[in-house]
């Protein structure tokens, strides 16, 4: 890593450049290129370098943005939301407990239809112990507040997501968070191709929208009695309906500029002999794709758009490819529910189809997920023939010093 | 008018609903609580949910029946059989007979007669009881608190609970002399209530709730509300802004401004919580104080306190509104 990791963004990028970077700096670079007016975040592992990187480019003078230091994540989200309401393109970032501390202010950016963007370096919540490593905290809470959410597999994707999120936010007028797995992507150096600044400028024009304007005074978020609140919520619900299509349009515009192809859901080898597919998000997709080189009898469904959840698209894919069994892998659990949150979304989508599935909870708190998990999950799924009994299980956890829970090896 | 025995029969398989109209601080909620406590059967009392402020119009609801499943619902009361109004100034401000069943009772603390009341509320199909509760309160309690006294009016026209049961409830809630005085006041109120009986009783088997009333048709729908919870001052998207609220009716005083003494320092303008200080830009290009907006001034007296030259004074309101807002607490204690 160079002393000045952001140096490449200090001057105009004229041609696509292929380089290597950690995920967080790549995000800082992507955000730089979208020319934000306000950057306001509180550092938290494993998100830190994204904010540091941005402070570098602001300090160097390349990016003319207000870099605002605040005392907490609640302050960061409040400031970013207000700045966005005032008309500024704003960026913030967080993880884990910081995300929880933001909770109180998260619904406002949705309600006010603000195109705010936020990066999340996914990290476990502290329970029962503190962990700075990867879990999918972003699926566990706050995911029903109405933010858009896209999930990236690798450094290239998370860099692109920094730009895509601005496009999605601006088109939908809903805030968008983009997520990569903490440490696994935030801190690993990978190859990526940077987009020329001019292309980013063209993809992310600053469009007029409603903002706080002293010449047009009004009340933002004033109290309403029960005679109004529900209409306001339904108004938001309607506004959310076109968002998945808007995302698709964003992806196709992005492809025209970069040649890189994204979709709400991406699929691999679905027409396989076992009529079975893994379904997951984020960095694990890469692990599975490598493993699949030797396991050609199974497919992969990679969810990119986690919120809004593409129910119909998923259903269509399952039907078109006659998938009979899904192996859901997810990095969060649910101590109370029938299923952890990612699986819950999938189960709801699958309900009319009756597709068989099981959910495997893997990789919590940064435990590595390897071909061992995939082999066992695949074997277990082969034995499943109905939806009776337990629908999820932890995979890759010690039961005693001498054995692994429900794994014979 | 129905007797206590007839009402007992009604209450076996029916609900009797009551609604109390008062102003914040007058104890309307206490009155409705006491109904439930005094009633031999099952009862629910609900205040109108929200923020209650001193002097602002309040509502509370009571649902009574001998059948506990009938009062198990947590719905608000839409179709009262009895409406009690503790403060006559509300008659001009609130539609107090909304939903009141035909043959139902309207009981008002007032010095007006019953026909006049029928005229004010525009209903000929209801019975009216009036009572000068303010005078009784001042005579017996020594303070203008009418919430328990109005219950005497209810016992008189619709004895759903007995005077003794109400006295018990009051003794459980208040102590010694305060309780005794309240009970004496209630007894006097039962005597002094003027009854205007049109010879019609409510049909307790009919539900007079307007279907879907709770959805407030006539207000903007979700396709019509402004984007993103924002209301611009120049767009009347939501008619019920605070500008439309007659906070002026909440207060006890008229505030008076003395133009001669005023130095235009604007301190009152800064401190006024209701933007009730009117200022205008003069020909000299400067802003000058022009007066007090009585529709919104709730006589909090902040301006009076802050004015450095005593240019603001107060005068007790006359007329029906003068009985608003007791000094300290509610509940006749
Ligand atoms: S009393 Fe004075 S400060 Fe209070 S509401 Fe009236 S004008 Fe405003
Ligand atoms: S505070 Fe007194 S002197 Fe100052 S503007 Fe108000 S009324 Fe006039």
């Amino acid at each position: 890593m160079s002393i000045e990791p952001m140096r490449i963004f200090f001057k105009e990028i004229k041609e696509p450049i292929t380089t290597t970077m950690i995920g967080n700096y790549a995000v800082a670079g992507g955000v730089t290129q979208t020319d934000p007016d306000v950057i306001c975040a509180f550092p938290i592992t494993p998100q830190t370098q994204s904010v540091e990187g941005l402070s570098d480019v602001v300090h160097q003078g390349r990016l003319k943005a207000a870099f605002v230091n605040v005392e907490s994540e609640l302050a960061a989200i409040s400031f970013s939301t207000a700045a966005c309401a005032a008309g500024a393109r704003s960026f913030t970032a967080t993880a884990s407990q910081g995300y929880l501390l933001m909770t109180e202010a998260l619904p406002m950016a949705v309600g006010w239809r603000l195109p705010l963007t936020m990066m999340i370096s996914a990290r476990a919540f502290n329970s029962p112990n503190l962990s700075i490593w990867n879990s999918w905290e972003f699926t566990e809470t706050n995911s029903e507040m109405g933010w858009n959410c896209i999930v990236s597999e690798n450094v290239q994707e998370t860099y692109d997501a920094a730009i895509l999120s601005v496009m999605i936010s601006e088109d939908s007028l809903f805030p968008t968070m983009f997520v990569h797995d903490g440490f696994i992507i935030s801190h690993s150096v990978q190859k990526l191709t940077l987009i020329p600044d001019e292309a980013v400028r063209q993809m992310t024009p600053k469009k007029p929208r409603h903002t706080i304007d002293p010449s047009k005074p009004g009340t933002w978020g004033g109290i309403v009695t029960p005679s109004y609140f529900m209409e306001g919520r339904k108004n938001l619900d309607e506004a959310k309906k076109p968002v998945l299509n808007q995302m698709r349009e964003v992806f196709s515009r992005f492809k025209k500029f970069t040649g890189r192809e994204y979709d709400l859901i991406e699929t691999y080898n679905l027409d396989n002999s076992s009529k079975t597919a893994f379904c997951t998000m984020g960095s694990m997709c890469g692990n599975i794709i490598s493993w699949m080189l030797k396991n050609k009898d199974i497919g992969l469904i990679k969810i990119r758009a986690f919120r809004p959840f593409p129910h119909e698209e998923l259903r269509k894919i399952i039907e078109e490819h006659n998938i009979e069994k899904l192996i859901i892998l997810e990095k969060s659990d649910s101590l109370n529910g029938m299923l952890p949150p990612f699986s819950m979304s999938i189960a709801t989508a699958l309900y009319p189809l009756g597709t068989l599935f099981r959910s495997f909870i893997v990789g919590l708190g940064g435990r590595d997920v390897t071909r061992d998990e995939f082999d066992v999950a695949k074997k277990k799924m082969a034995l499943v023939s109905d939806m009776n009994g337990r629908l999820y299980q932890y995979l890759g956890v010690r039961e005693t010093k001498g054995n692994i829970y429900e794994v014979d090896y | 008018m129905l007797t206590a025995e007839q009402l007992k029969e009604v209450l076996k398989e029916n609900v009797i609903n009551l609604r109390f109209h008062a102003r914040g601080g007058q104890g309307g909620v206490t009155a409705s609580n006491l109904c439930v406590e005094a009633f031999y059967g099952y009862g629910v009392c609900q205040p109108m949910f929200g923020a209650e402020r001193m002097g602002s119009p309040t509502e509370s609801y009571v649902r009574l029946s001998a059948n506990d499943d009938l009062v198990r619902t947590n719905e608000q009361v839409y179709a009262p059989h009895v409406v009690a109004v503790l403060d006559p100034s509300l008659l001009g401000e609130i539609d107090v007979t909304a939903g009141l069943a035909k043959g139902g009772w309207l009981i008002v603390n007032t010095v007006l007669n019953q026909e006049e009341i029928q005229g004010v509320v525009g209903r000929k199909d209801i019975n009216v009881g009036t009572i000068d509760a303010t005078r009784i309160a001042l005579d017996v309690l020594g303070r203008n608190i009418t919430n328990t006294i109005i219950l005497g009016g209810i016992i008189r026209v619709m004895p759903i609970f007995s005077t003794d049961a109400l006295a018990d409830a009051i003794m459980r809630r208040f102590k010694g002399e305060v309780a005794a005085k309240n009970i004496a006041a209630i007894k006097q109120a039962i005597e002094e209530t003027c009854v205007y009986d049109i010879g019609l009783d409510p049909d307790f088997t009919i539900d007079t709730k307007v279907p879907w009333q709770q959805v407030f048709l006539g207000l903007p729908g979700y396709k019509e509300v402004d984007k993103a919870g924002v209301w611009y001052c120049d767009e009347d998207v939501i008619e019920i802004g605070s500008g439309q609220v007659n906070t002026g009716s909440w207060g006890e005083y008229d505030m008076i401004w003395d133009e001669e003494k005023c130095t235009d320092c604007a301190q009152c303008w800064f401190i006024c919580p209701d933007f009730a200080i009117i200022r205008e830009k003069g020909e000299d290009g400067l802003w000058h104080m022009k007066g007090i907006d009585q529709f919104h001034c709730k006589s909090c007296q902040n301006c009076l306190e802050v004015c450095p030259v005593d240019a603001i004074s107060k005068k007790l309101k006359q007329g029906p509104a003068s009985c608003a807002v007791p000094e300290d607490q509610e509940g006749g204690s």
Side-chain angles (χ1 to χ4, degrees), chain A residues 111-113 173 210-213 216-224 226-228 230-232 234-236 238, chain B residues 49 51 76 214-216 219-235 237-240:
Chain A
W112 289 344
R113 307 288 313 275
L173 286 182
H210 79 291
T211 56
I212 291 174
D213 178 354
K216 188 175 169 60
T219 302
W220 286 62
I223 184 172
V224 291
S227 44
Y228 283 99
M230 213 167 155
E231 280 68 27
K234 174 68 179 153
N235 181 286
L236 292 175
E238 287 293 316
Chain B
F49 302 124
Q76 291 167 23
Q214 68 278 20
V215 180
F216 309 96
L219 299 179
Y222 76 83
K223 292 183 172 170
E224 296 151 342
V225 294
D226 201 334
K227 191 194 289 174
V230 186
W231 319 313
Y232 292 107
C233 299
D234 57 355
E235 292 170 12
V237 178
I238 293 187
E239 299 86 343
I240 309 173

